Amino acid sequence: AQSVTQLGSHVSVSEGALVLLRCNYSSSVPPYLFWYVQYPNQGLQLLLKYTSAATLVKGINGFEAEFKKSETSFHLTKPSAHMSDAAEYFCAVSYNQGGKLIFGQGTELSVKP
Amino acid sequence: DVKVTQSSRYLVKRTGEKVFLECVQDMDHENMFWYRQDPGLGLRLIYFSYDVKMKEKGDIPEGYSVSREKKERFSLILESASTNQTSMYLCASRPPGTDTQYFGPGTRLTVL
């Protein structure tokens, strides 16, 4: 079965430090890949998505992710963390345009002052 | 601006009660989804609908049913609530021909 794995259920960084949230997928064909963010007491909001164009995808709030087919990865990064980045982040995959989304387990990001 | 609303943010029900969770979108989207979110499990798809009166089972449909009588409204029904259905329930909608789903704020359901 197709799956998405997020390494680390909780990541803590200092304000101004690099943010790296890891996501790996299992697939023999290139999928569509997404990162969503959920702020406390809110629904999910799309951060960015990869749909077979450029492998480096830029999203909102300074986040970006790189699709690496050889590593079946789509890690999310931000050069400098801000307190407002504290949230839960979900990686998701779809295997056809407009198809079902399969979500990872989520990673909670904490940002220390 | 895209808007998906859910009828309640918090709900407390008793075991055996019939529970209705309502979701409304104002964007004329054909596709709508119900997920449940549990710690360490991410989001799991319960049911989805790609048109009025159409529904498809997701990955965990057991114990749930849905209704879509109008395009803008997608209801999730727990016929007889059980404690293992205590969870956060998220509704989403998606325009045709796109990948992006738009989520509501969620309903946190507690079944006692």
Side-chain angles (χ1 to χ4, degrees):
Chain A
Q2 312 291 8
S3 64
V4 178
T5 302
Q6 292 182 237
L7 294 176
S9 58
H10 189 102
V11 170
S12 182
V13 300
S14 297
E15 194 172 19
L18 170 73
V19 176
L20 171 60
L21 304 182
R22 299 177 188 273
C23 174
N24 288 86
Y25 63 92
S26 67
S27 174
S28 58
V29 296
Y32 297 93
L33 292 155
F34 307 80
W35 276 100
Y36 279 85
V37 60
Q38 184 180 34
Y39 297 105
N41 298 315
Q42 294 186 29
L44 275 68
Q45 177 184 354
L46 182 68
L47 262 183
L48 49 82
K49 64 181 179 181
Y50 166 77
T51 56
S52 76
T55 56
L56 183 62
V57 182
K58 294 190 184 298
I60 61 172
N61 301 337
F63 283 93
E64 62 182 37
E66 187 173 7
F67 171 64
K68 291 188 176 180
K69 184 178 176 181
S70 60
E71 298 177 9
T72 60
S73 69
F74 191 57
H75 301 332
L76 181 71
T77 60
K78 181 173 180 177
S80 177
H82 192 274
M83 296 296 291
S84 61
D85 295 327
E88 188 154 21
Y89 292 80
F90 292 93
C91 181
V93 62
S94 171
Y95 291 97
N96 50 70
Q97 187 176 30
K100 230 170 52 165
L101 281 180
I102 300 168
F103 284 86
Q105 305 92 319
T107 297
E108 187 174 350
L109 176 67
S110 301
V111 182
K112 298 175 290 187
Chain B
D1 212 15
V2 169
K3 195 162 181 69
V4 179
T5 57
Q6 295 184 228
S7 50
S8 306
R9 294 301 302 271
Y10 300 93
L11 208 52
V12 179
K13 294 292 181 181
R14 297 212 172 270
T15 302
E17 280 193 78
K18 189 169 187 175
V19 181
F20 292 87
L21 303 183
E22 305 287 342
C23 175
V24 177
Q25 49 95 2
D26 64 356
M27 299 157 291
D28 207 35
H29 292 171
E30 275 87 0
N31 301 292
M32 296 187 74
F33 307 81
W34 274 108
Y35 296 88
R36 63 176 283 175
Q37 180 183 3
D38 299 288
L41 297 178
L43 277 72
R44 293 178 291 167
L45 182 64
I46 304 171
Y47 267 96
F48 63 102
S49 169
Y50 50 88
D51 205 347
V52 175
K53 295 193 185 295
M54 307 299 283
K55 61 184 180 185
E56 294 281 344
K57 292 180 180 179
D59 300 314
I60 52 164
E62 296 78 18
Y64 304 94
S65 62
V66 290
S67 172
R68 188 135 181 235
E69 295 297 319
K70 293 185 178 181
K71 194 175 188 180
E72 66 270 19
R73 186 180 298 269
F74 191 35
S75 303
L76 180 69
I77 303 157
L78 287 66
E79 294 289 342
S80 177
S82 64
T83 54
N84 62 12
Q85 293 178 308
T86 291
S87 186
M88 170 72 89
Y89 290 87
L90 291 166
C91 173
S93 72
R94 185 184 69 204
T98 72
D99 305 293
T100 303
Q101 294 187 19
Y102 297 90
F103 283 82
T107 295
R108 187 168 293 281
L109 172 67
T110 302
V111 182
L112 302 175

